[in-house]
Amino acid sequence: MKQSTLPFCWTHSPVALQPWGMEIASEQSSGSGQGPEPAQKSLYEHAGGWSALRGFVDIFYTDVLADPLLQPLFGSGRPEHVDHLTAFDAESFGGPDDFSRSVGFAQLIDAHRGLAIAEPQRVRFVELYLAAADKAGLPADHAFRTALREHVEFGSRVAVQNSHAQTEADLHPLREVPHWHWPDS
């Protein structure tokens, strides 16, 4: 893989460099401590399920469209974007796999290509995402908020890399929805 000059790029095995709370669906861990205990709620359940995530994403998307730094990336918005992002977050956090089945990761890659997302835009995106979690009343416990932050930091770096990709080789190697779990104690 070609090394990128962007702020984030996997140049080694994705498994070796993935954040503590994420696993790729095809790289299931076997007793490695990456996931929650079987009796523990998923991040999706802890967040309040689909309706809580949908409310959160709706607040976030409204804020993004009103933000002068981010609005140029999103234009006037797309009505399906809230549902797509909700489905992506839900699947990432252990909920239904609606995003993979109905939207698909290839569409997500295509949506970011050519946007040339700048680092200040990425940082603002993360700030608004985390602020929306507060506004929506998502759980504020440290473990959940750490997982939420890791999720959006990672995803926004993937989006930046893909937004600057000139060739297929320049794209981030991720090709499916990453699955996030509780941090190890």
Side-chain angles (χ1 to χ4, degrees), residues 158-181:
V158 170
V160 167
Q161 182 172 339
N162 290 343
S163 78
H164 290 273
Q166 297 294 309
T167 68
E168 293 296 310
D170 294 336
L171 289 171
H172 192 280
L174 186 66
R175 294 294 185 271
E176 57 191 33
V177 175
H179 294 224
W180 291 82
H181 301 286

Side-chain angles (χ1 to χ4, degrees), residues 5 10 16 22 31 40 42 59 72 80 95 146-147 153 164 179-180:
T5 58
W10 277 346
M22 191 261 302
Q40 189 176 16
S42 67
I59 290 167
E80 70 277 4
T146 298
E153 287 282 353
H164 290 273
H179 294 224
W180 291 82

Side-chain angles (χ1 to χ4, degrees), residues 49-65:
W50 183 269
S51 62
L53 288 176
R54 177 69 166 72
F56 156 63
V57 171
D58 191 43
I59 290 167
F60 169 67
Y61 195 61
T62 299
D63 290 348
V64 162
L65 293 178

Side-chain angles (χ1 to χ4, degrees), residues 101-139:
R101 287 186 301 103
S102 62
V103 179
F105 206 81
Q107 185 175 331
L108 182 62
I109 292 170
D110 290 344
H112 292 100
R113 296 224 32 196
L115 289 178
I117 301 168
E119 181 61 10
Q121 290 170 313
R122 187 199 71 77
V123 169
R124 184 67 179 147
F125 184 91
V126 170
E127 290 170 351
L128 291 179
Y129 189 87
L130 297 173
D134 290 337
K135 290 179 185 178
L138 288 185

Side-chain angles (χ1 to χ4, degrees), residues 41-54 56 89-90 93 136-139 141 144 148 182:
K41 287 182 181 179
S42 67
L43 293 168
Y44 172 78
E45 293 167 323
H46 188 73
W50 183 269
S51 62
L53 288 176
R54 177 69 166 72
F56 156 63
D89 283 354
F93 296 149
L138 288 185
D141 57 277
F144 179 77
L148 192 68
W182 293 103

